Amino acid sequence: MLSPKTHGPLSGLVVIDLTRVLAGPYCTLMLADLGARVIKVEMPVLGDDARHVGPMIEDGQGGTISGYFFSINRNKESIALNLKLEADKVIFDKLLASADILVENFTPGTMARLGYDWDTVHARHPSLILASISGFGQTGPYRELPAYDMVVQAMGGVLSLTGEEGGPPTRVGVSIGDICAGMFGTIGIQAAIIERIRTGLGKHVDISMLDSQVALLENALVRYQAEGVVPGPIGSRHPSITPFGVFKAKDTYMVVAAGNDRIFPRLCEAISIPEVANDARFMTNLLRCEHHAALKVRIEQALAGRTANEWLKHLTALGIPCGPVNDIAGVMQDHQVKARGMLMSQLLPNGRPIITAGCAVQFAGESMPPATPAPALDQHREALLKELGI
Amino acid sequence: MLSPKTHGPLSGLVVIDLTRVLAGPYCTLMLADLGARVIKVEMPVLGDDARHVGPMIEDGQGGTISGYFFSINRNKESIALNLKLEADKVIFDKLLASADILVENFTPGTMARLGYDWDTVHARHPSLILASISGFGQTGPYRELPAYDMVVQAMGGVLSLTGEEGGPPTRVGVSIGDICAGMFGTIGIQAAIIERIRTGLGKHVDISMLDSQVALLENALVRYQAEGVVPGPIGSRHPSITPFGVFKAKDTYMVVAAGNDRIFPRLCEAISIPEVANDARFMTNLLRCEHHAALKVRIEQALAGRTANEWLKHLTALGIPCGPVNDIAGVMQDHQVKARGMLMSQLLPNGRPIITAGCAVQFAGESMPPATPAPALDQHREALLKELGI
């Protein structure tokens, strides 16, 4: 039997993790950060595909390792098993018998070919929860098609809303097609755990990356129905709140989010264009949305006199919502990001530290224990076999 | 005492919901969809600010209602209470005494001013979970600053990665600053429920919208550390997989995601440019990433001969990952989106149906019960007071 971890809200739970690349590993990363014991089961020799995705970093032994892999696999263990070999299946079955949750992100059909479809798994391990994360879900006409982040960002409509007005559709610069599916997976798994505590039975969590994109659309669907116009990309502004977006100051861009009718006159006062607050075109949020381009010109003329940092200090002191447009270097120096522990350090095999994003699920008065770095392929084989009595 | 709902994995749980606008309501929407009973406590007269955010829809009685509000408040009840009035606090306290979870997304400090800071709430209701979702979290130097989606998208670095190469930073076209914070909130609440089942004690979930953006950065942080170059926006392509992005066919854009070295030659064959697969610049993914612009020209020349739909049929039949760039009208007609039940209908007060995005957390073999539409302000006052014995 595998003993669970003893720290964190999900301590007591053991997760067997067949996932590769991003959506699944992101899901199990959150489970691991919250205290579950997560055991990655990887293909021998190659391992998780993410081990071969750049950026590659020298491992100090003449080879390279994937920095990408380190971003999303801390706090996990690894064992290499080939589920097409009977001897390895015996080990896998022992792992399952000791586990609470099995997570996979194969294309639907693969688990059945390996002999681990839901009906079989559920019959053998009635309390086990199976979570499947796939491009299109376990049902529907596209269920067997392959999908990647880019495909579902595009099919789910998010791409069509992102980019410059009149320009080509633009990818969201982070893989929200994968990541949000991973997050919904974590939500589904925890819901299934809560149900299992009542019923004793596991269930099959069925997450679709495409569904996950549609679930992000919030007001775009109702805007289309209410206005009859297909929403398109609109750069850095908001469709129904103005001013609420990126504006250029003397040196660089900054954000001003002063859309409501109480704050807008205070913004105009603060940037020395009080007359703009009384302009008939800008009196209400609805009117400002209509005349957003003219308003942007006036605001940027006013901001051109000082640097973004100067304006941010001034506006913040006056309680007007604003902020810097941080690049990645800026994020890594941000005082709030640091204070919240969102920059977590892990030791690479070459002995050097690498910073990855921390866990956004936090509990007041508690701090995350130090992370164990992402495992080497098959690193925990001996310890695991010993625990299982093999 | 309030009786919980009886259907869904989170049935048995009662949520008192003080949240407004998007991040908090998105969190409680997921709890409601999963079976928790969610009671919105809103300010009298005005209610949740989202009731006044467009698109506005005629209510059939001479007024208008917010379609936006309907997107994120189905399956909830509403009571209007002014927490600055003693009489209303008595009702609120009775609600809390009957609840499992209290969710709020005020600026930190507000709950204390209302008399409901964590220490007070925890002393009075030791098993109650408090979830706080705020711009910057309950700790750190910026904790008392106001924040909106746009501010945290910019501060957290996502904006700096989104947009055309060399162009201005671009907002993600959906409010992932709010929505992802809401999702992390749901994850934190469920983790706290699982812990409470062991310990009997509630805890304080502390979600920061800024943290939530940093948690999405996946490989950008390690790319910056490995390469020493600050990552910037790169349009619709992927930083380390090529070809993987949007390409223009004869009529419109489509996605091709054929980055790995096995699929790439099959793509070249399929679009009748087999010689490109043997071009020395394009032999490996690493080389293709370096020469992405030259490759894009070759691919778009090849695609120019047929429409996106023709190519998608052709490539799909050959198992090459690809997909349409759906606008919102396309999403609403997509067969997979429909088959997965991701277009949920609610009846507006004017008697007409409106489609909103369904719940992406699904369980195989189970279907979501029909949604009750978003409540009118204070709609459930009488029924709730009766249940509480007031």
Side-chain angles (χ1 to χ4, degrees):
Chain A
M1 287 295 288
L2 300 171
S3 56
K5 292 195 194 176
T6 54
H7 185 89
L10 301 189
S11 62
L13 297 172
V14 174
V15 178
I16 305 302
D17 181 4
L18 285 171
T19 67
R20 300 101 5 92
V21 192
L22 183 52
Y26 198 88
C27 168
T28 58
L29 174 69
M30 283 182 284
L31 298 173
D33 279 348
L34 291 167
R37 182 173 177 187
V38 175
I39 297 163
K40 273 180 90 78
V41 174
E42 304 183 68
M43 275 298 288
V45 185
L46 284 176
D48 182 343
D49 297 313
R51 292 185 182 275
H52 311 284
V53 175
M56 303 306 288
I57 299 173
E58 284 174 23
D59 68 0
Q61 294 157 359
T64 60
I65 47 166
S66 162
Y68 182 67
F69 183 78
F70 266 76
S71 306
I72 43 184
N73 288 289
R74 65 172 173 249
N75 291 331
K76 302 179 187 176
E77 298 163 56
S78 169
I79 182 169
L81 296 176
N82 181 345
L83 295 187
K84 290 171 185 158
L85 299 181
E86 280 310 314
D88 280 8
K89 281 182 113 150
V90 171
I91 299 171
F92 186 70
D93 289 339
K94 288 218 174 193
L95 287 170
L96 286 191
S98 224
D100 301 281
I101 302 150
L102 171 62
V103 191
E104 58 94 5
N105 64 339
F106 294 114
T107 305
T110 305
M111 289 294 280
R113 280 194 296 280
L114 295 169
Y116 296 98
D117 56 279
W118 168 244
D119 289 341
T120 305
V121 167
H122 188 54
R124 265 195 241 157
H125 309 284
S127 68
L128 188 75
I129 290 157
L130 171 62
S132 300
I133 303 172
S134 62
F136 299 109
Q138 305 294 310
T139 59
Y142 310 166
R143 69 181 175 283
E144 288 179 4
L145 296 181
Y148 293 102
D149 174 77
M150 188 69 204
V151 174
V152 298
Q153 279 198 25
M155 289 182 73
V158 172
L159 224 78
S160 78
L161 303 170
T162 304
E164 289 306 306
E165 198 152 358
T170 303
R171 178 176 181 270
V172 176
V174 293
S175 300
I176 59 166
D178 284 307
I179 291 176
C180 292
M183 291 169 72
F184 283 120
T186 305
I187 292 169
I189 287 168
Q190 292 189 325
I193 287 287
I194 292 167
E195 180 169 309
R196 188 182 79 163
I197 291 167
R198 289 196 309 274
T199 65
L201 292 174
K203 56 202 292 178
H204 186 186
V205 180
D206 170 13
I207 303 295
S208 145
M209 288 166 62
L210 179 61
D211 288 358
S212 302
Q213 292 300 287
V214 175
L216 303 181
L217 294 178
E218 35 121 7
N219 75 355
L221 290 175
V222 292
R223 250 189 299 146
Y224 171 56
Q225 293 170 83
E227 298 167 2
V229 179
V230 177
I234 52 171
S236 74
R237 67 184 178 88
H238 191 279
S240 49
I241 311 176
T242 306
F244 194 90
V246 170
F247 298 88
K248 195 156 190 183
K250 189 178 180 182
D251 58 335
T252 187
Y253 296 100
M254 59 184 276
V255 167
V256 177
N260 83 43
D261 295 346
R262 292 183 306 277
I263 294 181
F264 179 66
R266 288 171 43 210
L267 169 70
C268 294
E269 195 72 42
I271 63 176
S272 305
I273 49 170
E275 70 282 7
V276 169
N278 298 318
D279 189 315
R281 294 171 299 173
F282 307 139
M283 297 290 275
T284 68
N285 179 53
L286 208 66
L287 285 164
R288 288 192 296 275
C289 287
E290 197 177 321
H291 301 287
H292 63 87
L295 180 59
K296 182 169 186 171
V297 170
R298 293 304 308 271
I299 291 175
E300 291 197 335
Q301 281 170 348
L303 295 178
R306 296 205 226 170
T307 67
N309 264 337
E310 289 168 338
W311 282 121
L312 291 172
K313 268 185 208 162
H314 180 61
L315 297 181
T316 298
L318 295 169
I320 294 167
C322 61
V325 179
N326 279 332
D327 59 21
I328 296 302
V331 170
M332 291 187 71
Q333 285 158 10
D334 186 279
H335 296 300
Q336 182 73 9
V337 172
K338 285 184 189 169
R340 296 281 296 174
M342 285 304 292
L343 302 175
M344 283 184 85
S345 190
Q346 295 173 62
L347 273 191
L348 291 169
N350 65 16
R352 288 209 304 265
I354 191 164
I355 304 288
T356 61
C359 181
V361 180
Q362 301 198 4
F363 303 96
E366 299 179 18
S367 57
M368 291 277 289
T372 57
L377 178 60
D378 210 23
Q379 182 180 331
H380 300 88
R381 165 174 292 266
E382 273 186 54
L384 283 166
L385 294 186
K386 199 169 162 192
E387 255 191 288
L388 292 172
I390 301 180
Chain B
M1 285 296 287
L2 300 171
S3 56
K5 292 195 195 176
T6 54
H7 185 89
L10 301 190
S11 61
L13 297 173
V14 174
V15 179
I16 306 302
D17 181 3
L18 284 171
T19 67
R20 299 99 7 91
V21 191
L22 184 52
Y26 198 88
C27 168
T28 58
L29 174 69
M30 283 182 285
L31 298 173
D33 280 347
L34 290 167
R37 181 174 178 188
V38 175
I39 297 162
K40 274 180 89 77
V41 174
E42 304 184 67
M43 276 297 288
V45 186
L46 285 176
D48 181 343
D49 297 312
R51 292 184 182 274
H52 311 284
V53 174
M56 304 306 288
I57 298 173
E58 284 175 23
D59 67 1
Q61 296 159 358
T64 61
I65 47 166
S66 163
Y68 182 66
F69 183 77
F70 266 76
S71 306
I72 44 183
N73 288 289
R74 65 172 172 251
N75 291 332
K76 301 179 187 176
E77 299 163 56
S78 168
I79 182 169
L81 296 175
N82 182 345
L83 296 186
K84 290 172 185 157
L85 299 181
E86 279 311 313
D88 281 6
K89 281 182 112 146
V90 171
I91 299 171
F92 186 68
D93 289 339
K94 288 216 172 195
L95 287 170
L96 286 191
S98 223
D100 301 282
I101 301 150
L102 171 62
V103 191
E104 57 94 6
N105 65 339
F106 295 113
T107 305
T110 305
M111 289 294 280
R113 280 194 296 279
L114 295 170
Y116 296 97
D117 56 279
W118 169 245
D119 288 342
T120 305
V121 167
H122 189 53
R124 265 195 243 158
H125 310 283
S127 68
L128 188 76
I129 290 158
L130 171 62
S132 300
I133 303 171
S134 60
F136 299 108
Q138 305 295 310
T139 58
Y142 310 166
R143 70 182 175 281
E144 288 179 3
L145 296 181
Y148 292 101
D149 174 76
M150 188 70 204
V151 173
V152 297
Q153 280 198 24
M155 290 181 73
V158 172
L159 223 78
S160 78
L161 303 169
T162 304
E164 289 306 305
E165 199 150 359
T170 303
R171 178 177 182 270
V172 176
V174 292
S175 299
I176 60 167
D178 283 307
I179 291 175
C180 291
M183 292 170 71
F184 284 120
T186 303
I187 292 169
I189 287 168
Q190 291 189 326
I193 288 285
I194 292 168
E195 179 168 311
R196 189 182 77 164
I197 292 167
R198 290 196 308 276
T199 65
L201 292 175
K203 56 202 291 177
H204 186 186
V205 180
D206 170 13
I207 303 295
S208 144
M209 289 167 60
L210 178 61
D211 288 359
S212 302
Q213 292 300 286
V214 175
L216 303 181
L217 293 178
E218 37 121 7
N219 75 355
L221 290 174
V222 291
R223 251 190 298 149
Y224 171 56
Q225 293 169 84
E227 298 167 2
V229 179
V230 176
I234 53 171
S236 73
R237 66 185 179 87
H238 191 278
S240 51
I241 311 176
T242 306
F244 194 90
V246 170
F247 298 88
K248 193 157 191 183
K250 188 179 181 181
D251 57 335
T252 187
Y253 296 100
M254 58 183 278
V255 167
V256 176
N260 82 42
D261 295 346
R262 292 184 306 276
I263 294 181
F264 178 66
R266 288 172 43 209
L267 168 70
C268 293
E269 195 73 41
I271 62 176
S272 305
I273 49 171
E275 70 282 7
V276 169
N278 298 319
D279 188 315
R281 293 171 301 171
F282 307 139
M283 297 289 276
T284 68
N285 180 54
L286 209 65
L287 285 164
R288 289 192 296 276
C289 287
E290 198 178 318
H291 301 287
H292 64 85
L295 181 58
K296 182 171 185 168
V297 169
R298 292 304 309 269
I299 291 176
E300 291 197 335
Q301 280 169 349
L303 295 180
R306 296 204 228 170
T307 66
N309 264 337
E310 289 167 338
W311 282 121
L312 291 172
K313 268 185 208 161
H314 181 62
L315 298 180
T316 298
L318 294 169
I320 295 167
C322 61
V325 180
N326 279 331
D327 59 21
I328 296 302
V331 171
M332 291 186 71
Q333 284 156 11
D334 187 278
H335 296 299
Q336 184 72 10
V337 172
K338 283 184 189 169
R340 296 282 296 173
M342 284 304 291
L343 302 175
M344 284 183 84
S345 191
Q346 295 173 61
L347 273 191
L348 292 169
N350 65 16
R352 289 208 304 263
I354 191 164
I355 304 289
T356 61
C359 181
V361 179
Q362 301 197 5
F363 303 96
E366 300 180 19
S367 58
M368 291 277 290
T372 58
L377 177 59
D378 210 22
Q379 182 180 331
H380 300 88
R381 165 175 292 266
E382 272 186 53
L384 283 166
L385 293 186
K386 199 170 162 193
E387 255 192 288
L388 292 171
I390 301 177

